Amino acid sequence: MSNLEPGVVVNRDEPIPAISTDGLDQERVTQQHDSPKDTSPARRLKKKISESKLKRSFDEKAASGTESSSIQDRMFSTLLRQFIPTEDPLDNGGKPDPRSRKYVARPNFSLPVMSSNFRRFNSRIGVVFVFQNRVIKLFSWKAPSHTLSFLAIYTFCCLNPYLLAVLPLALCLLFIMVPSFLSRHPPPPNTHSTETFSMRGPASALPPTVRPAPEMSKDFFRNMRDLKNCMGDFSVVHDKIISVMAPLTNFSDERVSSTIFFVVSALTGILFLASHVLPWRAIFLLLGWVTTCSTHPSAIALLATIDKEEIRSRERSIKTRLIGWMNEDIILDQAPELREVEVFELQKHQSGGNWESFVFSPSPYDPLTPSRISGDRPKGTRFFEDVQPPTGWDWGDKKWTLDLLARDWVEERMITAVEIETEGEHWVYDIGVSESSCADRPGTSPSESLRTNKRDWEEGTGLSLKGDWRRRRWVRLVKRKIAQAR
């Protein structure tokens, strides 16, 4: 296929310039976008391979699971899935990932499908690069008449914003409909540019259609060249924005981020009340003209003559004043947050009449606890030293303190069927159920008897029948960890 076929939209001009910043990708500035001619044996061998054979080879790598996919492709996709981590909707730091298949029904990763979609995408992306190249030419003043025409249209739209509704329709007429009509009614041969000709009568040419660039053609590789440059440009711009904005907004330096938060909040309130009195037409008109004129080669040369050392000195002076103001007026509360945590020491009654330490649990394991009714063992740690603070917290004091107000935490949890020891070690005992009470209700277990009686707690007298478990509450202060910025 000819490289100048009218049905393919591709950037056939010079390559789109790559973006570079100080200290980032300096090698990309001098990179050659069009590879020179090579007479090596490998290139001569490549020329011998026909385009149809290569296309058939690409088509055989079709989507996984289709009839045209080979056994090797299926085996490779199956092997690749073993190395790809499975999706977990809570793998983003415990937060649901909106990209998970649980929320969005999308196909799984497949290398053949990705290869096919990339080739289809690369064949059709040329129109984007053509538009990008024309925008670069417009704002670089390659054709001053085009740039001035753009500024005239921009001025009319700023002065009369209602023209924005007309702009898409006018662009459709001038850049789509009129060129299509001229393609159907081309001028006769040997016609001067100033000579008019009649456009009446039947069409003398086929209607123009936009077709994707054929694979292995020059247009296909031009799209790959521009796509590669755009991916690099996006990475450079992304990293530059993150390096500038992240330290200011992520509260790594709380004074700076608090100052910005205060300024943005103040501006939000001011604009909410006074935005209707601002001359937005003049503001946008001035910004558009200043931005466009600053890209003129003469303006760029003028800006290059400015003394950068003087600018840096003024920047340091302003920065010093801001830091001094922040240190004086922005006061941060550095005291960490304190909370009280609890743990219950559970002991079980043995056959010999002794009490054996069983576990330190976050739950009191009272008689009517669902886990106890279902027969589950209490959860916790065996030794006191193994009790750890909650995640993100540190111990705020050196040792645990016994809670002497057992009556308060029993009433707070509305625990029933227990006996509180008011003196001594302040244990809270289960109230035992005598065999005679169970005999009065045949087929009734002790736990069911407690649920039916619903006895409240009572102060211990030392004479009532005690159950198999007793517990007491220990408390300790914890403070929130302070994460130091790296």
Side-chain angles (χ1 to χ4, degrees):
M1 179 176 285
S2 174
N3 294 329
L4 298 178
E5 185 174 349
V8 178
V9 180
V10 70
N11 176 28
R12 298 188 180 91
D13 297 331
E14 65 274 7
I16 298 173
I19 299 175
S20 63
T21 57
D22 295 337
L24 293 174
D25 298 338
Q26 293 293 337
E27 296 179 358
R28 301 176 68 253
V29 180
T30 59
Q31 182 181 5
Q32 295 292 335
H33 298 277
D34 291 328
S35 58
K37 294 183 179 180
D38 191 2
T39 58
S40 61
R43 189 170 183 83
R44 290 197 301 267
L45 179 62
K46 183 179 178 180
K47 291 182 178 179
K48 294 180 181 179
I49 303 176
S50 63
E51 180 181 334
S52 59
K53 291 182 180 179
L54 289 175
K55 186 175 182 181
R56 282 200 305 269
S57 176
F58 275 115
D59 291 337
E60 289 176 359
K61 309 291 184 182
S64 176
T66 59
E67 296 181 357
S68 60
S69 60
S70 62
I71 298 178
Q72 291 85 353
D73 291 337
R74 295 182 183 179
M75 293 181 60
F76 183 75
S77 298
T78 304
L79 181 63
L80 192 62
R81 291 193 193 100
Q82 304 300 325
F83 298 95
I84 299 176
T86 57
E87 288 190 358
D88 187 0
L90 296 178
D91 59 356
N92 188 18
K95 299 180 181 179
D97 189 356
R99 300 172 298 175
S100 175
R101 295 190 65 199
K102 182 178 179 181
Y103 307 100
V104 181
R106 303 290 290 177
N108 280 329
F109 173 78
S110 174
L111 189 61
V113 173
M114 186 180 69
S115 175
S116 175
N117 290 343
F118 173 77
R119 290 184 281 112
R120 294 174 56 198
F121 174 79
N122 189 71
S123 299
R124 295 161 174 81
I125 195 63
V127 62
V128 177
F129 299 133
V130 171
F131 175 76
Q132 182 182 2
N133 199 21
R134 291 183 179 178
V135 169
I136 292 175
K137 286 184 176 180
L138 179 68
F139 286 96
S140 59
W141 295 79
K142 294 292 183 63
S145 59
H146 295 174
T147 308
L148 292 175
S149 300
F150 164 77
L151 287 175
I153 296 174
Y154 180 79
T155 302
F156 279 118
C157 292
C158 289
L159 297 179
N160 190 0
Y162 301 104
L163 292 177
L164 292 174
V166 183
L167 190 60
L169 302 178
L171 292 177
C172 178
L173 290 175
L174 294 177
F175 294 99
I176 298 179
M177 303 296 294
V178 172
S180 299
F181 181 82
L182 293 178
S183 298
R184 290 281 281 164
H185 300 269
N190 300 326
T191 302
H192 298 287
S193 58
T194 58
E195 183 179 353
T196 60
F197 62 95
S198 177
M199 294 185 182
R200 298 180 181 179
S204 58
L206 296 176
T209 57
V210 178
R211 292 188 293 271
E215 296 178 10
M216 309 307 296
S217 64
K218 288 186 177 180
D219 293 339
F220 187 82
F221 284 99
R222 287 190 181 103
N223 288 345
M224 291 186 66
R225 173 201 66 192
D226 293 334
L227 183 60
K228 179 262 299 181
N229 293 338
C230 284
M231 289 190 295
D233 294 342
F234 175 81
S235 301
V236 172
V237 173
H238 176 273
D239 295 342
K240 189 65 176 179
I241 292 176
I242 294 300
S243 63
V244 173
M245 296 297 297
L248 301 177
T249 57
N250 63 0
F251 287 86
S252 57
D253 188 342
E254 293 199 19
R255 293 187 184 275
V256 175
S257 299
S258 300
T259 303
I260 294 177
F261 180 83
F262 171 75
V263 172
V264 173
S265 301
L267 290 177
T268 302
I270 293 173
L271 289 178
F272 182 78
L273 298 175
S275 59
H276 63 283
V277 298
L278 294 177
W280 292 110
R281 297 182 182 181
I283 292 174
F284 280 99
L285 180 63
L286 183 61
L287 288 177
W289 273 85
V290 170
T291 303
T292 307
C293 292
S294 63
T295 60
H296 193 276
S298 300
I300 296 176
L302 180 62
L303 292 175
T305 59
I306 298 177
D307 188 6
K308 295 182 180 180
E309 289 297 331
E310 183 179 357
I311 296 178
R312 292 193 185 96
S313 63
R314 293 184 179 180
E315 181 181 353
R316 286 192 294 267
S317 175
I318 295 174
K319 187 176 181 180
T320 303
R321 294 179 182 177
L322 287 176
I323 293 176
W325 176 77
M326 288 187 294
N327 292 333
E328 293 179 0
D329 295 347
I330 304 298
I331 300 175
L332 300 177
D333 185 12
Q334 299 293 341
E337 180 183 1
L338 293 176
R339 292 285 182 91
E340 186 181 71
V341 294
E342 63 181 6
V343 67
F344 293 91
E345 180 184 0
L346 302 181
Q347 291 187 356
K348 189 173 183 181
H349 189 264
Q350 301 299 319
S351 58
N354 299 324
W355 292 91
E356 180 184 3
S357 179
F358 193 81
V359 74
F360 291 90
S361 173
S363 170
Y365 200 64
D366 59 278
L368 299 182
T369 301
S371 60
R372 182 169 174 181
I373 294 175
S374 61
D376 296 337
R377 293 170 58 90
K379 298 180 180 180
T381 181
R382 182 70 175 174
F383 303 101
F384 218 159
E385 295 78 9
D386 295 335
V387 179
Q388 300 296 325
T391 304
W393 297 78
D394 283 330
W395 296 122
D397 50 8
K398 296 182 179 180
K399 60 181 181 178
W400 292 88
T401 304
L402 178 63
D403 188 0
L404 302 179
L405 302 176
R407 176 177 176 177
D408 292 344
W409 64 263
V410 168
E411 290 182 344
E412 181 181 353
R413 287 172 168 80
M414 294 184 291
I415 297 176
T416 58
V418 294
E419 177 184 350
I420 301 174
E421 188 179 51
T422 57
E423 296 180 358
E425 297 181 349
H426 298 272
W427 290 98
V428 177
Y429 295 86
D430 293 347
I431 295 179
V433 180
S434 62
E435 295 180 0
S436 59
S437 63
C438 293
D440 295 338
R441 297 185 181 93
T444 304
S445 63
S447 61
E448 292 177 349
S449 177
L450 285 174
R451 270 185 293 174
T452 54
N453 290 334
K454 297 263 183 177
R455 297 180 61 190
D456 293 336
W457 62 266
E458 57 185 34
E459 294 183 357
T461 61
L463 301 177
S464 61
L465 183 63
K466 295 181 174 57
D468 293 335
W469 294 89
R470 70 176 184 177
R471 77 279 300 154
R472 58 182 176 179
R473 181 173 179 260
W474 296 84
V475 294
R476 191 173 180 179
L477 291 178
V478 291
K479 60 182 179 180
R480 189 181 294 274
K481 289 182 179 179
I482 300 177
Q484 300 294 336
R486 298 179 180 178

